[in-house]
Amino acid sequence: MVPTSQECSSSRFLPDPKTVAIVGCPFRGGQRKLGVDKGPIALVEAGLPDQIKELGWKVKFDGHHQFEEISAENDPPIGKLLNPRLVSKVCKAVSETVGDHIKNGELPLTLGGDHSLAMGTISGTLDRYPEACVVWVDAHADINTPETTGSGNIHGMPVAFLMGLGPTIPEFSWVKPRLSSSRIVYIGLRDLDAGEKRILKENKIKAFSMHEVDRWGIGRVVEMALDHVNPDRDRPIHLSFDVDALDPSVAPSTGTPVRGGLTFREGHYICEAVYETGCLIALDIMEVNPSLADTASINQTIAVGCSLARSALGETLL
Ligand SMILES: NC(=[NH2+])NCCC[C@H](N)C(=O)O
Ligand SMILES: [Mn+2]
Ligand SMILES: [Mn+2]
């Protein structure tokens, strides 16, 4: 039973016809492992554009970002930050692309690549919709600052940059600290660094870890998460989905897998429920690494990346 017209509500923030713009981001500079830059290529080769067309969307895709043109030849660490200038330049370019798509009335679907890219995608969203909220689905909070990071990998820090936490780094001055702590909610967390736990508490950031998913079930968790960031369901939603939120048995081919994650259905349920709000205006599918694990695991992870995207774009089970 469908109580409301999804067709109508799903276009609340979009002009006709419904159009998705795929932003392929073959980028791995926010972490150390090889292969995550091949994620977007694998997702597109698996047929994601046509799958989205079959859901009734117009799909725009004119090739992956050519980050080779963005070079930061001399890119020594800044403090602990690894590849800082490269990550900054790439994210700035992605931010402009995502912002332009939203301005054109298209829903940007960004395919990563590592999760540092969300510094770009969410900046692009906030350029057009300053009131937007973020649903961040991840095993990790990715909210280390340049001071708290242990790894130096910037994919563990994008939320801190978006919120303006930590010291000012001139190389990242284009990232405007516009994401307020009340406009982001996490689902799926289970591997936080000590500094990240402190940051979440100090900033009173709402987070539903796997403990809350176990306690309440995914249905209640998503409802409570949306009630927090979007109580009247009238704010645009940016959904940033790191596939490592899923259990490694569901999405094995990712750089930082953590056991005890979301089931296949829990992950898809989140996407379906966000779509049903009619408020989705941007989507990220991040951290698919098609060079980690065996062929079967790789294909399984690519297929899951595609089906998460389809669920967020309106695919239903009935
Ligand atoms: N997007 C991700 N997979 N992030 C993992 C981050 C892991 C760890 N917290 C770090 O700062 O390095
Ligand atoms: Mn993660
Ligand atoms: Mn992440």
Side-chain angles (χ1 to χ4, degrees):
M1 196 189 49
V2 182
T4 54
S5 162
Q6 289 193 11
E7 203 46 45
C8 172
S9 69
S10 68
S11 44
R12 182 178 300 163
F13 292 102
L14 289 173
D16 272 348
K18 300 197 300 180
T19 307
V20 166
I22 295 181
V23 183
C25 293
F27 183 63
R28 62 176 169 86
Q31 49 85 66
R32 288 175 160 86
K33 289 186 185 166
L34 300 180
V36 71
D37 49 323
K38 303 294 186 297
I41 295 148
L43 291 163
V44 167
E45 277 178 1
L48 183 56
D50 283 337
Q51 295 169 19
I52 297 170
K53 276 182 204 152
E54 275 175 26
L55 295 170
W57 294 81
K58 277 187 65 182
V59 177
K60 281 193 170 180
F61 174 60
D62 26 74
H64 297 277
H65 256 281
Q66 297 297 307
F67 294 130
E68 294 79 17
E69 289 160 17
I70 299 177
S71 64
E73 271 131 52
N74 191 24
D75 197 10
I78 298 175
K80 295 185 215 163
L81 301 191
L82 198 77
N83 310 324
R85 295 161 197 83
L86 178 63
V87 173
S88 175
K89 283 186 189 175
V90 161
C91 288
K92 186 166 190 283
V94 171
S95 157
E96 283 157 13
T97 306
V98 165
D100 287 347
H101 284 308
I102 296 180
K103 271 182 212 109
N104 291 340
E106 299 151 5
L107 189 154
L109 162 54
T110 304
L111 305 177
D114 74 66
H115 217 169
S116 67
L117 289 160
M119 204 188 303
T121 62
I122 293 173
S123 291
T125 288
L126 293 173
D127 280 339
R128 174 66 183 82
Y129 288 118
E131 77 280 24
C133 58
V134 174
V135 177
W136 190 283
V137 185
D138 205 322
H140 311 93
D142 294 347
I143 197 166
N144 272 304
T145 71
E147 286 168 338
T148 66
T149 178
S151 66
N153 296 331
I154 300 177
H155 78 157
M157 310 180 207
V159 180
F161 279 93
L162 290 162
M163 289 183 52
L165 306 174
T168 314
I169 314 272
E171 284 77 359
F172 286 85
S173 60
W174 66 269
V175 187
K176 300 283 168 298
R178 286 175 304 191
L179 180 63
S180 105
S181 54
S182 60
R183 291 284 168 87
I184 180 167
V185 65
Y186 288 104
I187 303 175
L189 302 186
R190 58 194 181 278
D191 183 17
L192 305 200
D193 300 323
E196 293 184 296
K197 290 186 181 177
R198 185 174 44 74
I199 291 169
L200 291 188
K201 281 205 187 78
E202 279 174 6
N203 293 280
K204 299 190 171 62
I205 296 171
K206 195 77 168 169
F208 296 90
S209 73
M210 289 310 299
H211 178 89
E212 281 69 41
V213 173
D214 291 338
R215 172 172 297 176
W216 302 108
I218 197 67
R220 279 288 290 142
V221 161
V222 173
E223 195 182 328
M224 291 188 285
L226 291 173
D227 283 349
H228 179 76
V229 286
N230 204 357
D232 299 319
R233 307 293 193 267
D234 57 356
R235 283 179 193 150
I237 300 176
H238 184 122
L239 175 59
S240 199
F241 203 118
D242 181 331
V243 297
D244 72 29
L246 300 170
D247 191 78
S249 61
V250 180
S253 298
T254 189
T256 52
V258 189
R259 65 184 176 173
L262 298 168
T263 65
F264 180 91
R265 273 306 308 157
E266 287 166 343
H268 288 76
Y269 179 85
I270 297 169
C271 295
E272 293 160 3
V274 167
Y275 177 78
E276 282 180 349
T277 65
C279 301
L280 182 72
I281 48 102
L283 172 62
D284 308 330
I285 300 289
M286 299 300 195
E287 299 279 357
V288 170
N289 187 332
S291 67
L292 299 176
D294 55 282
T295 309
S297 301
I298 292 165
N299 290 337
Q300 180 190 346
T301 309
I302 294 165
V304 152
C306 291
S307 61
L308 289 172
R310 294 198 308 272
S311 292
L313 295 172
E315 186 169 70
T316 53
L317 298 179
L318 291 178

